[in-house]
Amino acid sequence: MKTTVLSLASTLALFGAVFPALAEGEVNIYSYRQPELMKPVLDEFTKETGIKTNVLFLDKGLVERMTAEGENSPADVILTVDVTRLTEAKNGGVTQAVNDEIINKDIPANYRDPDGNWFGLTTRGRVIFASKDRVQQDTITYEELADPKWKGKVCMRDGQHAYNVGLVSSMIANKGAEFTEKWLTGLKANLVSKPNGNDRSQAKAVMSGECDLGIAYTYYLGVMKTNDKEPEQKEWAAAVKVLFPNAADRGTHVNISGMAMAKNAPNRDNALKLMQFLSSANAQKIYAEQVFEYPVLPGAEPSDVVKSFGTINPDKLPLIEIANNWKAASELIDKVGLNDGPSE
Ligand code: FE
């Protein structure tokens, strides 16, 4: 009991330091996204509205923190990636519904919560990084990853990583659990080794000849291509081409980065202004460019780097369906033993 009180007190003290004034003219953001990624779009917001933004970056525990802060929480807007984190915030009771004409016009219904508790701003596509040298074909489907012709040629990160659970959720939503179990069994048999590394390592593995197809998010290709700090990543990126799975039928699985209004937002008016701004064409463009993602606004173009990957045809599946099938997907991944790698 004492620990709880103390940690709440120290938490509030910290917020006092981070957000010196909860006065008008400000908006407080709790973000799972790195502040430097948000800076260009937030600077533009301040330029247009005069409203100052304060960002608290968190790498975990956002819901717990906001729950502990309760009515005293300074949070106005939550920014995060992945629909599961957005639904986690909603289900954790730290968001409030927003029903705003401007926002609803800019953000297609499949990229927002039917109850208005979260909104997608940009998308990333779960694609295949294919060897430029060894893979001849320029199209693929997720289903094909289970085709024995790819035996020993596929690599991926941990099956229980959110990025892969999202993909499996989309397969369940589109094709049913029974099909998905068979698919996962075939995918497992085609893996070159136990799932490991992160999304970028899959490009590295393709470059080194370990595998021909790696499963990864589009934005990592942009990150690698422009990585002056670790220029070896430019070589990983140069070794792969992007195949957009199911481009000719239901489209490529996408997940979102998004926003939500905090339940007790002390600066609600400013929070709404920020959310309206972030949903605008201009803001989506700035933001999407910064993070190598796709704006959700119909017709809004991605950056030149992102365009160079090819054209995405995103799966129109409402993102809420990804969240709804999450548990089933995670269980199936364990059931088939995907993380054990190929059994033979
Ligand atoms: Fe990531």
Side-chain angles (χ1 to χ4, degrees), residues 14-264:
L14 172 67
F15 291 139
V18 176
F19 305 139
L22 299 176
E24 281 182 15
E26 299 194 47
V27 61
N28 300 323
I29 299 160
Y30 279 21
S31 177
Y32 274 135
R33 286 224 111 163
Q34 304 277 353
E36 61 268 25
L37 295 179
M38 301 308 307
K39 195 175 182 306
V41 75
L42 295 179
D43 283 353
E44 184 61 27
F45 171 69
T46 302
K47 209 173 100 189
E48 281 188 22
T49 62
I51 298 167
K52 184 172 173 274
T53 62
N54 304 306
V55 181
L56 179 72
F57 171 70
L58 299 160
D59 60 0
K60 57 178 189 299
L62 183 145
V63 174
E64 292 78 358
R65 198 156 189 166
M66 288 182 65
T67 305
E69 288 161 17
E71 286 180 12
N72 295 317
S73 177
D76 293 307
V77 174
I78 299 166
L79 294 176
T80 185
V81 294
D82 224 289
V83 67
T84 45
R85 274 189 156 166
L86 290 160
T87 47
E88 202 176 85
K90 177 189 175 184
N91 297 339
V94 299
T95 62
Q96 61 173 290
V98 171
N99 188 358
D100 182 78
E101 255 180 53
I102 297 175
I103 298 173
N104 290 349
K105 184 168 63 60
D106 287 341
I107 300 176
N110 53 324
Y111 296 135
R112 51 183 156 90
D113 177 31
D115 299 330
N117 278 263
W118 49 261
F119 302 85
L121 295 169
T122 56
T123 66
R124 59 273 293 280
R126 200 99 188 114
V127 294
I128 306 302
F129 289 169
S131 167
K132 274 182 186 165
D133 297 337
R134 299 181 302 277
V135 176
Q136 304 310 316
Q137 65 194 65
D138 288 315
T139 59
I140 203 162
T141 62
Y142 295 116
E143 287 82 345
E144 197 190 315
L145 295 175
D147 188 317
K149 84 179 203 192
W150 294 115
K151 195 168 176 55
K153 305 251 189 255
V154 183
C155 54
M156 65 187 290
R157 76 192 298 167
D158 188 335
Q160 289 292 0
H161 188 276
Y163 296 170
N164 287 328
V165 180
L167 171 60
V168 176
S169 304
S170 83
M171 188 62 91
I172 296 176
N174 280 304
K175 309 284 284 263
E178 210 177 306
F179 177 91
T180 304
E181 184 173 343
K182 278 190 215 128
W183 173 66
L184 282 172
T185 305
L187 170 62
K188 170 184 150 82
N190 285 345
L191 292 176
V192 66
S193 63
K194 285 185 185 180
N196 66 80
N198 54 28
D199 277 16
R200 278 181 259 193
S201 339
Q202 312 313 318
K204 189 185 180 189
V206 168
M207 188 196 76
S208 70
E210 224 177 286
C211 56
D212 288 354
L213 306 175
I215 304 172
Y217 269 133
T218 40
Y219 66 95
Y220 283 110
L221 195 58
V223 172
M224 291 187 289
K225 274 188 165 188
T226 58
N227 199 334
D228 292 326
K229 279 191 197 142
E230 294 168 78
E232 67 272 19
Q233 293 193 3
K234 293 183 183 178
E235 292 166 39
W236 309 350
V240 303
K241 60 181 176 182
V242 175
L243 303 185
F244 290 92
N246 302 74
D249 47 81
R250 69 176 178 273
T252 298
H253 165 58
V254 297
N255 210 314
I256 50 174
S257 79
M259 62 180 178
M261 173 88 79
K263 178 158 185 231
N264 295 301

